[in-house]
Amino acid sequence: MCGARYASTLGEFTMAKKKQNFGKLTRDYLQHQRASHIEKTETHNYDGRNNNDLFGFADWVAVMDFKLPELWFIQETSRSNISARKKKICNSEIACTILDNPSSRIFILGWDKCKEGMWRVKKVEITSRDMEAGYLCVGELKEPYWKEG
């Protein structure tokens, strides 16, 4: 499936042969998926030498121009690291809140190169069902983190 330029709008997507970082690949992919507005939300902290994501997991936010607009929160990673990112998102309380909104969706885009030297992506959607498998569930009653009186 690596030989096709755009194999499918739901699963595989390949780019022309050249060295690219995930940011450029992700932006091109979202534009191909009809995003009307795309914003990179990941920032680099030079003092701590680490990256800060929106809500702890979103590298990108995109407004998708469908019949009913959707807000997509995107975590980009290597294809081999998808399961670790999925676990991180499924253990996030804010991700539960985001998925409570029917017009918001969370995706992981896992990038790798196939043997022809072309980039491909695996798109994984995080759903409420995935969140229930994590430590935090939608509607779960949690102990307050403060003490009263």
Side-chain angles (χ1 to χ4, degrees), residues 60-90:
W60 296 85
V61 175
V63 177
M64 303 309 288
D65 193 18
F66 299 132
K67 192 172 187 178
L68 295 173
E70 293 180 351
L71 188 62
W72 284 13
F73 295 87
I74 309 293
Q75 168 74 64
E76 66 184 17
T77 188
S78 63
R79 194 177 185 115
S80 61
N81 206 17
I82 290 176
S83 61
R85 297 294 178 238
K86 185 174 182 178
K87 183 177 179 181
K88 180 174 96 169
I89 294 170
C90 288

Side-chain angles (χ1 to χ4, degrees), residues 14-121:
T14 55
M15 296 294 298
K17 290 184 183 183
K18 60 179 165 174
K19 187 174 181 177
Q20 298 189 30
N21 62 21
F22 294 155
K24 171 82 169 110
L25 293 168
T26 300
R27 180 177 292 281
D28 291 346
Y29 177 78
L30 292 171
Q31 287 173 342
H32 176 72
Q33 296 291 312
R34 297 188 323 189
S36 59
H37 300 288
I38 305 167
E39 192 66 39
K40 183 156 181 71
T41 58
E42 180 183 43
T43 58
H44 186 72
N45 180 353
Y46 291 100
D47 294 332
R49 296 184 183 180
N50 60 354
N51 292 334
N52 298 323
D53 301 331
L54 180 67
F55 305 131
F57 65 87
D59 297 326
W60 296 85
V61 175
V63 177
M64 303 309 288
D65 193 18
F66 299 132
K67 192 172 187 178
L68 295 173
E70 293 180 351
L71 188 62
W72 284 13
F73 295 87
I74 309 293
Q75 168 74 64
E76 66 184 17
T77 188
S78 63
R79 194 177 185 115
S80 61
N81 206 17
I82 290 176
S83 61
R85 297 294 178 238
K86 185 174 182 178
K87 183 177 179 181
K88 180 174 96 169
I89 294 170
C90 288
N91 290 323
S92 169
E93 190 171 359
I94 190 70
C96 292
T97 307
I98 289 170
L99 290 176
D100 282 341
N101 184 343
S103 65
S104 296
R105 297 170 77 181
I106 300 174
F107 291 99
I108 302 170
L109 298 181
W111 293 98
D112 74 341
K113 274 192 175 180
C114 52
K115 49 186 164 178
E116 292 87 10
M118 302 204 28
W119 287 100
R120 66 179 176 173
V121 66

